[in-house]
Coordinates of all heavy atoms in Angstrom, one line a residue:
L156 N 32.6 33.1 -4.7 CA 32.8 31.7 -4.4 C 33.9 31.6 -3.3 O 34.1 30.5 -2.7 CB 33.4 31.0 -5.6 CG 32.4 30.6 -6.7 CD1 33.1 29.8 -7.8 CD2 31.3 29.7 -6.1
S157 N 34.5 32.6 -2.9 CA 35.5 32.6 -1.8 C 34.9 32.1 -0.5 O 35.6 31.5 0.3 CB 36.2 34.0 -1.6 OG 35.2 34.8 -1.0
L158 N 33.6 32.2 -0.4 CA 32.9 31.6 0.7 C 33.3 30.1 0.9 O 33.2 29.6 2.0 CB 31.4 31.5 0.2 CG 30.4 32.5 0.6 CD1 29.0 32.1 0.0 CD2 30.2 32.4 2.2
Y159 N 33.6 29.4 -0.2 CA 33.8 28.0 -0.1 C 35.3 27.6 -0.2 O 35.6 26.4 -0.3 CB 33.0 27.3 -1.2 CG 31.6 27.6 -1.2 CD1 31.0 28.3 -2.3 CD2 30.8 27.3 -0.1 CE1 29.7 28.7 -2.3 CE2 29.4 27.7 -0.1 CZ 28.9 28.4 -1.2 OH 27.6 28.7 -1.2
K160 N 36.2 28.6 -0.1 CA 37.6 28.3 -0.4 C 38.2 27.3 0.6 O 39.2 26.7 0.3 CB 38.4 29.5 -0.6 CG 38.6 30.3 0.7 CD 39.5 31.5 0.4 CE 39.7 32.3 1.7 NZ 39.4 33.7 1.7
E161 N 37.7 27.2 1.8 CA 38.3 26.3 2.8 C 37.9 24.9 2.6 O 38.4 24.0 3.3 CB 37.9 26.7 4.3 CG 38.1 28.2 4.6 CD 39.6 28.6 4.6 OE1 40.4 27.7 4.6 OE2 39.9 29.8 4.5
N162 N 36.9 24.7 1.8 CA 36.4 23.3 1.6 C 37.4 22.5 0.7 O 37.9 23.0 -0.3 CB 35.0 23.3 1.0 CG 34.4 21.9 1.0 OD1 34.3 21.2 2.0 ND2 33.9 21.5 -0.2
N163 N 37.6 21.2 1.0 CA 38.5 20.4 0.2 C 38.0 19.7 -1.0 O 38.7 19.1 -1.8 CB 39.2 19.4 1.1 CG 40.1 20.0 2.1 OD1 40.9 20.9 1.7 ND2 40.1 19.5 3.3
F164 N 36.7 19.7 -1.2 CA 36.1 19.0 -2.3 C 35.2 19.9 -3.1 O 34.0 19.8 -3.2 CB 35.3 17.8 -1.7 CG 36.2 16.9 -0.9 CD1 36.3 17.1 0.5 CD2 37.1 16.0 -1.5 CE1 37.1 16.3 1.3 CE2 37.9 15.2 -0.7 CZ 38.0 15.4 0.7
N165 N 35.9 20.8 -3.8 CA 35.3 21.7 -4.7 C 35.6 21.4 -6.2 O 36.8 21.2 -6.5 CB 35.8 23.2 -4.4 CG 35.4 23.7 -3.1 OD1 34.5 23.2 -2.4 ND2 36.2 24.7 -2.6
Y166 N 34.6 21.4 -7.0 CA 34.9 21.0 -8.4 C 34.2 22.0 -9.3 O 33.1 22.4 -9.1 CB 34.3 19.6 -8.7 CG 35.0 18.6 -7.8 CD1 34.3 18.1 -6.6 CD2 36.2 18.0 -8.1 CE1 34.9 17.2 -5.8 CE2 36.8 17.1 -7.2 CZ 36.1 16.7 -6.1 OH 36.7 15.8 -5.2
I167 N 34.9 22.3 -10.4 CA 34.2 23.1 -11.5 C 34.2 22.3 -12.7 O 35.2 21.7 -13.2 CB 34.9 24.5 -11.7 CG1 34.5 25.2 -13.0 CG2 36.5 24.4 -11.7 CD1 35.0 26.6 -13.1
A168 N 33.0 22.1 -13.3 CA 32.8 21.4 -14.5 C 33.3 22.3 -15.7 O 32.8 23.3 -15.9 CB 31.4 21.0 -14.8
Y169 N 34.4 21.8 -16.3 CA 35.0 22.7 -17.3 C 35.3 21.9 -18.6 O 36.0 20.9 -18.6 CB 36.3 23.2 -16.8 CG 37.0 24.3 -17.6 CD1 36.2 25.2 -18.3 CD2 38.3 24.4 -17.8 CE1 36.8 26.2 -19.1 CE2 38.9 25.3 -18.6 CZ 38.2 26.3 -19.2 OH 38.7 27.3 -20.0
E170 N 34.6 22.3 -19.7 CA 34.6 21.5 -20.9 C 35.9 21.4 -21.6 O 36.2 20.6 -22.4 CB 33.5 22.0 -21.9 CG 33.6 23.4 -22.4 CD 33.2 24.5 -21.4 OE1 32.9 24.1 -20.3 OE2 33.3 25.7 -21.8
K171 N 36.8 22.4 -21.2 CA 38.2 22.4 -21.8 C 39.2 21.5 -21.1 O 40.3 21.5 -21.4 CB 38.7 23.8 -22.0 CG 37.8 24.6 -23.0 CD 38.4 25.9 -23.3 CE 37.4 26.6 -24.3 NZ 37.2 28.0 -23.9
E172 N 38.7 20.8 -20.1 CA 39.6 20.0 -19.2 C 39.9 18.6 -19.9 O 40.7 17.9 -19.4 CB 38.9 19.8 -17.9 CG 39.7 19.2 -16.8 CD 41.1 19.9 -16.5 OE1 41.1 21.1 -16.8 OE2 42.0 19.2 -16.1
F173 N 39.2 18.2 -21.0 CA 39.3 16.9 -21.4 C 40.7 16.5 -21.8 O 41.1 15.3 -21.9 CB 38.3 16.6 -22.6 CG 38.6 17.4 -23.8 CD1 39.6 17.0 -24.7 CD2 37.8 18.5 -24.1 CE1 39.8 17.8 -25.9 CE2 38.1 19.2 -25.2 CZ 39.1 18.9 -26.1
S174 N 41.6 17.4 -22.1 CA 42.9 17.1 -22.6 C 43.8 16.5 -21.5 O 44.8 15.8 -21.7 CB 43.6 18.3 -23.1 OG 43.6 19.3 -22.1

Side-chain angles (χ1 to χ4, degrees):
L156 284 182
S157 71
L158 261 179
Y159 306 115
K160 68 176 183 232
E161 307 299 340
N162 189 52
N163 286 322
F164 303 94
N165 296 339
Y166 303 97
I167 168 172
Y169 190 38
E170 64 283 1
K171 294 189 181 132
E172 186 58 25
F173 64 79
S174 54

